[in-house]
PDB file of all heavy atoms in Angstrom:
ATOM      1  N   PRO A  69    -110.233  30.730  51.715  1.00 85.00           N
ATOM      2  CA  PRO A  69    -110.714  30.028  52.811  1.00 85.00           C
ATOM      3  C   PRO A  69    -112.207  29.707  52.719  1.00 85.00           C
ATOM      4  O   PRO A  69    -112.944  30.534  52.242  1.00 85.00           O
ATOM      5  CB  PRO A  69    -110.454  30.990  54.031  1.00 85.00           C
ATOM      6  CG  PRO A  69    -109.340  31.891  53.493  1.00 85.00           C
ATOM      7  CD  PRO A  69    -109.609  32.049  52.082  1.00 85.00           C
ATOM      8  N   SER A  70    -112.509  28.498  53.137  1.00 82.00           N
ATOM      9  CA  SER A  70    -113.891  28.036  52.925  1.00 82.00           C
ATOM     10  C   SER A  70    -114.930  28.879  53.557  1.00 82.00           C
ATOM     11  O   SER A  70    -116.090  29.066  53.064  1.00 82.00           O
ATOM     12  CB  SER A  70    -114.011  26.587  53.361  1.00 82.00           C
ATOM     13  OG  SER A  70    -113.629  26.437  54.732  1.00 82.00           O
ATOM     14  N   ILE A  71    -114.586  29.445  54.726  1.00 82.00           N
ATOM     15  CA  ILE A  71    -115.610  30.265  55.481  1.00 82.00           C
ATOM     16  C   ILE A  71    -116.022  31.483  54.651  1.00 82.00           C
ATOM     17  O   ILE A  71    -117.071  32.041  54.908  1.00 82.00           O
ATOM     18  CB  ILE A  71    -115.043  30.649  56.873  1.00 82.00           C
ATOM     19  CG1 ILE A  71    -116.155  31.104  57.715  1.00 82.00           C
ATOM     20  CG2 ILE A  71    -113.904  31.639  56.716  1.00 82.00           C
ATOM     21  CD1 ILE A  71    -117.252  30.223  57.962  1.00 82.00           C
ATOM     22  N   CYS A  72    -115.129  31.959  53.713  1.00 86.00           N
ATOM     23  CA  CYS A  72    -115.442  33.109  52.917  1.00 86.00           C
ATOM     24  C   CYS A  72    -116.628  32.823  52.057  1.00 86.00           C
ATOM     25  O   CYS A  72    -117.226  33.757  51.460  1.00 86.00           O
ATOM     26  CB  CYS A  72    -114.281  33.503  52.064  1.00 86.00           C
ATOM     27  SG  CYS A  72    -112.857  34.092  53.020  1.00 86.00           S
ATOM     28  N   TRP A  73    -117.033  31.544  51.774  1.00 87.00           N
ATOM     29  CA  TRP A  73    -118.153  31.249  51.008  1.00 87.00           C
ATOM     30  C   TRP A  73    -119.464  31.470  51.759  1.00 87.00           C
ATOM     31  O   TRP A  73    -120.570  31.433  51.207  1.00 87.00           O
ATOM     32  CB  TRP A  73    -118.095  29.760  50.462  1.00 87.00           C
ATOM     33  CG  TRP A  73    -117.003  29.543  49.556  1.00 87.00           C
ATOM     34  CD1 TRP A  73    -115.770  29.000  49.692  1.00 87.00           C
ATOM     35  CD2 TRP A  73    -117.031  29.856  48.110  1.00 87.00           C
ATOM     36  NE1 TRP A  73    -115.041  28.995  48.565  1.00 87.00           N
ATOM     37  CE2 TRP A  73    -115.783  29.440  47.571  1.00 87.00           C
ATOM     38  CE3 TRP A  73    -117.999  30.455  47.249  1.00 87.00           C
ATOM     39  CZ2 TRP A  73    -115.499  29.608  46.243  1.00 87.00           C
ATOM     40  CZ3 TRP A  73    -117.716  30.615  45.942  1.00 87.00           C
ATOM     41  CH2 TRP A  73    -116.523  30.217  45.398  1.00 87.00           C
ATOM     42  N   LEU A  74    -119.422  31.525  53.096  1.00 84.00           N
ATOM     43  CA  LEU A  74    -120.677  31.548  53.896  1.00 84.00           C
ATOM     44  C   LEU A  74    -121.499  32.793  53.629  1.00 84.00           C
ATOM     45  O   LEU A  74    -122.718  32.617  53.483  1.00 84.00           O
ATOM     46  CB  LEU A  74    -120.263  31.496  55.410  1.00 84.00           C
ATOM     47  CG  LEU A  74    -121.498  31.465  56.300  1.00 84.00           C
ATOM     48  CD1 LEU A  74    -122.286  30.160  56.045  1.00 84.00           C
ATOM     49  CD2 LEU A  74    -121.051  31.453  57.812  1.00 84.00           C
ATOM     50  N   PRO A  75    -120.921  34.015  53.485  1.00 86.00           N
ATOM     51  CA  PRO A  75    -121.856  35.098  53.192  1.00 86.00           C
ATOM     52  C   PRO A  75    -122.667  34.970  51.859  1.00 86.00           C
ATOM     53  O   PRO A  75    -123.835  35.265  51.768  1.00 86.00           O
ATOM     54  CB  PRO A  75    -120.936  36.313  53.066  1.00 86.00           C
ATOM     55  CG  PRO A  75    -119.713  35.988  53.958  1.00 86.00           C
ATOM     56  CD  PRO A  75    -119.597  34.514  53.802  1.00 86.00           C
ATOM     57  N   LEU A  76    -121.884  34.436  50.765  1.00 88.00           N
ATOM     58  CA  LEU A  76    -122.566  34.234  49.586  1.00 88.00           C
ATOM     59  C   LEU A  76    -123.644  33.142  49.718  1.00 88.00           C
ATOM     60  O   LEU A  76    -124.720  33.215  49.121  1.00 88.00           O
ATOM     61  CB  LEU A  76    -121.491  33.774  48.527  1.00 88.00           C
ATOM     62  CG  LEU A  76    -121.948  33.644  47.039  1.00 88.00           C
ATOM     63  CD1 LEU A  76    -122.559  34.957  46.604  1.00 88.00           C
ATOM     64  CD2 LEU A  76    -120.893  33.124  46.200  1.00 88.00           C
ATOM     65  N   ALA A  77    -123.266  32.064  50.542  1.00 87.00           N
ATOM     66  CA  ALA A  77    -124.246  30.976  50.719  1.00 87.00           C
ATOM     67  C   ALA A  77    -125.511  31.481  51.411  1.00 87.00           C
ATOM     68  O   ALA A  77    -126.672  31.112  51.081  1.00 87.00           O
ATOM     69  CB  ALA A  77    -123.598  29.865  51.547  1.00 87.00           C
ATOM     70  N   LEU A  78    -125.400  32.382  52.382  1.00 85.00           N
ATOM     71  CA  LEU A  78    -126.475  33.015  53.098  1.00 85.00           C
ATOM     72  C   LEU A  78    -127.373  33.839  52.172  1.00 85.00           C
ATOM     73  O   LEU A  78    -128.616  33.832  52.296  1.00 85.00           O
ATOM     74  CB  LEU A  78    -126.036  33.770  54.323  1.00 85.00           C
ATOM     75  CG  LEU A  78    -125.354  32.941  55.463  1.00 85.00           C
ATOM     76  CD1 LEU A  78    -124.865  33.868  56.509  1.00 85.00           C
ATOM     77  CD2 LEU A  78    -126.342  31.983  56.006  1.00 85.00           C
ATOM     78  N   LEU A  79    -126.702  34.512  51.293  1.00 88.00           N
ATOM     79  CA  LEU A  79    -127.464  35.309  50.309  1.00 88.00           C
ATOM     80  C   LEU A  79    -128.231  34.418  49.339  1.00 88.00           C
ATOM     81  O   LEU A  79    -129.317  34.777  48.845  1.00 88.00           O
ATOM     82  CB  LEU A  79    -126.468  36.255  49.514  1.00 88.00           C
ATOM     83  CG  LEU A  79    -125.861  37.418  50.356  1.00 88.00           C
ATOM     84  CD1 LEU A  79    -124.863  38.134  49.440  1.00 88.00           C
ATOM     85  CD2 LEU A  79    -126.959  38.361  50.833  1.00 88.00           C
ATOM     86  N   TRP A  80    -127.620  33.411  48.944  1.00 89.00           N
ATOM     87  CA  TRP A  80    -128.188  32.501  47.907  1.00 89.00           C
ATOM     88  C   TRP A  80    -129.374  31.601  48.610  1.00 89.00           C
ATOM     89  O   TRP A  80    -130.487  31.426  48.061  1.00 89.00           O
ATOM     90  CB  TRP A  80    -127.182  31.604  47.249  1.00 89.00           C
ATOM     91  CG  TRP A  80    -126.461  32.242  46.095  1.00 89.00           C
ATOM     92  CD1 TRP A  80    -126.776  33.443  45.462  1.00 89.00           C
ATOM     93  CD2 TRP A  80    -125.236  31.763  45.436  1.00 89.00           C
ATOM     94  NE1 TRP A  80    -125.866  33.745  44.554  1.00 89.00           N
ATOM     95  CE2 TRP A  80    -124.960  32.707  44.467  1.00 89.00           C
ATOM     96  CE3 TRP A  80    -124.483  30.751  45.630  1.00 89.00           C
ATOM     97  CZ2 TRP A  80    -123.831  32.621  43.614  1.00 89.00           C
ATOM     98  CZ3 TRP A  80    -123.383  30.565  44.780  1.00 89.00           C
ATOM     99  CH2 TRP A  80    -123.076  31.491  43.834  1.00 89.00           C
ATOM    100  N   PHE A  81    -128.994  31.002  49.640  1.00 86.00           N
ATOM    101  CA  PHE A  81    -129.916  29.997  50.272  1.00 86.00           C
ATOM    102  C   PHE A  81    -130.588  30.366  51.583  1.00 86.00           C
ATOM    103  O   PHE A  81    -131.400  29.641  52.118  1.00 86.00           O
ATOM    104  CB  PHE A  81    -129.094  28.702  50.565  1.00 86.00           C
ATOM    105  CG  PHE A  81    -128.324  28.173  49.362  1.00 86.00           C
ATOM    106  CD1 PHE A  81    -126.942  28.206  49.244  1.00 86.00           C
ATOM    107  CD2 PHE A  81    -129.004  27.693  48.215  1.00 86.00           C
ATOM    108  CE1 PHE A  81    -126.260  27.747  48.127  1.00 86.00           C
ATOM    109  CE2 PHE A  81    -128.356  27.235  47.039  1.00 86.00           C
ATOM    110  CZ  PHE A  81    -126.916  27.313  47.119  1.00 86.00           C
ATOM    111  N   GLY A  82    -130.179  31.567  52.149  1.00 82.00           N
ATOM    112  CA  GLY A  82    -130.763  32.005  53.390  1.00 82.00           C
ATOM    113  C   GLY A  82    -130.297  31.216  54.594  1.00 82.00           C
ATOM    114  O   GLY A  82    -129.302  30.449  54.452  1.00 82.00           O
ATOM    115  N   LEU A  83    -130.944  31.380  55.748  1.00 78.00           N
ATOM    116  CA  LEU A  83    -130.531  30.670  56.968  1.00 78.00           C
ATOM    117  C   LEU A  83    -131.018  29.247  56.908  1.00 78.00           C
ATOM    118  O   LEU A  83    -132.016  28.879  57.675  1.00 78.00           O
ATOM    119  CB  LEU A  83    -131.003  31.443  58.175  1.00 78.00           C
ATOM    120  CG  LEU A  83    -130.414  32.879  58.338  1.00 78.00           C
ATOM    121  CD1 LEU A  83    -131.147  33.560  59.499  1.00 78.00           C
ATOM    122  CD2 LEU A  83    -128.971  32.791  58.609  1.00 78.00           C
TER     123      LEU A  83
END
Side-chain angles (χ1 to χ4, degrees):
S70 56
I71 194 58
C72 293
W73 291 100
L74 185 61
L76 187 61
L78 293 176
L79 290 175
W80 277 349
F81 306 111
L83 297 172

